[in-house]
Every structure is written in C-alpha cells, then in structure tokens.
Amino acid sequence: MKNCSHCHAPLSFGDVVKSVNPARITCSNCKAKTPVKLVPVVVLIVLTSLVSVAVVVATIANTLVMLVALTAVALGGEYVYYRLMRAGYLE
C-alpha cells in the first residue's frame, strides 16, 4: 500500500508515526483511515518489540539511557514499518 485508499494521496512517514493504530493509518490529506492487513503488522510488531527490548535491557544498565535507546528503537521500527508499507510488502 503506497497511497490512501480513498483519495489516493501518498501516505507519508508522518502519517504512520501519528497513527495510534498501526493497522489503520489516517491519511493527512483526506483524514480517512486506511486499513492495513492485521496479521503481518502484529507479527512484525511483536517480533521486533521482543528482540529490541531484550537487547536494550541486556546491554544498557542506566535507566535514562535505556529509555532513550528504546525510544530510538521505536522510531526506527516505525520507519521500517513505513518502508515496508511503501514497498508494498504490507497491504
């Protein structure tokens, strides 16, 4: 899925980040909610979340640095999700 299913405007990275539900992305152009198939999204989120949290917790002892690292991992995950969606792997 590269475009909004209603107005066909390209979905941006900002649309993905601002979306509360990764299975329904709100288009910044027409404000319609564009559905994404749920199973690949859930599998992607669960796997990356488990691995990234385990790695960060195991390697970083300072709580503040750990929170910053987890925030960076979350934004990185959003970007990967956006790139997979733009490439057509998620519909």
Side-chain angles (χ1 to χ4, degrees), residues 1-6 11 19 21-27 32-38 41 81 85 90-91:
M1 171 191 22
K2 298 179 181 179
N3 300 322
C4 173
S5 59
H6 298 282
L11 295 172
S19 176
N21 183 354
R24 295 184 59 82
I25 299 171
T26 303
C27 175
K33 296 196 184 301
T34 302
V36 179
K37 288 185 181 177
L38 192 58
V41 172
Y81 173 71
M85 184 185 67
L90 300 175
E91 296 183 21

Side-chain angles (χ1 to χ4, degrees), residues 24-47:
R24 295 184 59 82
I25 299 171
T26 303
C27 175
S28 60
N29 188 41
C30 68
K31 306 300 183 218
K33 296 196 184 301
T34 302
V36 179
K37 288 185 181 177
L38 192 58
V39 173
V41 172
V42 170
V43 170
L44 180 69
I45 290 171
V46 168
L47 288 177

Side-chain angles (χ1 to χ4, degrees), residues 51 56 81:
V51 170
V56 169
Y81 173 71

Side-chain angles (χ1 to χ4, degrees), residues 1-86:
M1 171 191 22
K2 298 179 181 179
N3 300 322
C4 173
S5 59
H6 298 282
C7 70
H8 304 290
L11 295 172
S12 69
F13 178 62
D15 294 338
V16 174
V17 171
K18 289 186 278 185
S19 176
V20 177
N21 183 354
R24 295 184 59 82
I25 299 171
T26 303
C27 175
S28 60
N29 188 41
C30 68
K31 306 300 183 218
K33 296 196 184 301
T34 302
V36 179
K37 288 185 181 177
L38 192 58
V39 173
V41 172
V42 170
V43 170
L44 180 69
I45 290 171
V46 168
L47 288 177
T48 55
S49 297
L50 288 174
V51 170
S52 60
V53 168
V55 168
V56 169
V57 169
T59 58
I60 300 174
N62 186 334
T63 305
L64 182 59
V65 175
M66 187 184 307
L67 289 175
V68 170
L70 287 173
T71 302
V73 166
L75 284 175
E78 289 281 342
Y79 184 72
V80 169
Y81 173 71
Y82 167 71
R83 295 304 302 173
L84 288 172
M85 184 185 67
R86 293 291 295 167

